Amino acid sequence: MDVWVDGQGRVRKLRSRIDFLTVSVAPSVVGPLSGPAEQVGSEGSVAWTVEFYDFGVPVHVAIPPADQVTDF
């Protein structure tokens, strides 16, 4: 993770990346129809950057009505 900090010690930007690799697991972990070893997962990566700005600016938030939201 890379972090940019301004002169006042505030985080201004975060950049991160995660790499995913294929993993082999035993058949008992995957299921009864698996072969000697099964590859589970996928290869790839995900990267993201988040920037923070407008420190000290007033924030006005309107809470949506209950019929427009849902729980995760």
Side-chain angles (χ1 to χ4, degrees):
M1 177 177 284
D2 296 317
V3 179
W4 286 258
V5 179
D6 69 12
Q8 295 180 312
R10 300 177 297 204
V11 174
R12 298 303 299 246
K13 185 173 168 180
L14 299 172
R15 182 173 60 195
S16 189
R17 176 186 170 113
I18 297 175
D19 294 316
F20 300 99
L21 302 175
T22 300
V23 177
S24 294
V25 295
S28 60
V29 175
V30 179
L33 301 177
S34 307
E38 184 77 18
Q39 289 192 341
V40 177
S42 61
E43 295 182 23
S45 64
V46 62
W48 62 91
T49 301
V50 179
E51 294 188 47
F52 301 96
Y53 53 90
D54 287 346
F55 294 97
V57 175
V59 176
H60 304 284
V61 177
I63 298 173
D67 65 344
Q68 294 182 10
V69 299
T70 188
D71 293 331
F72 284 95

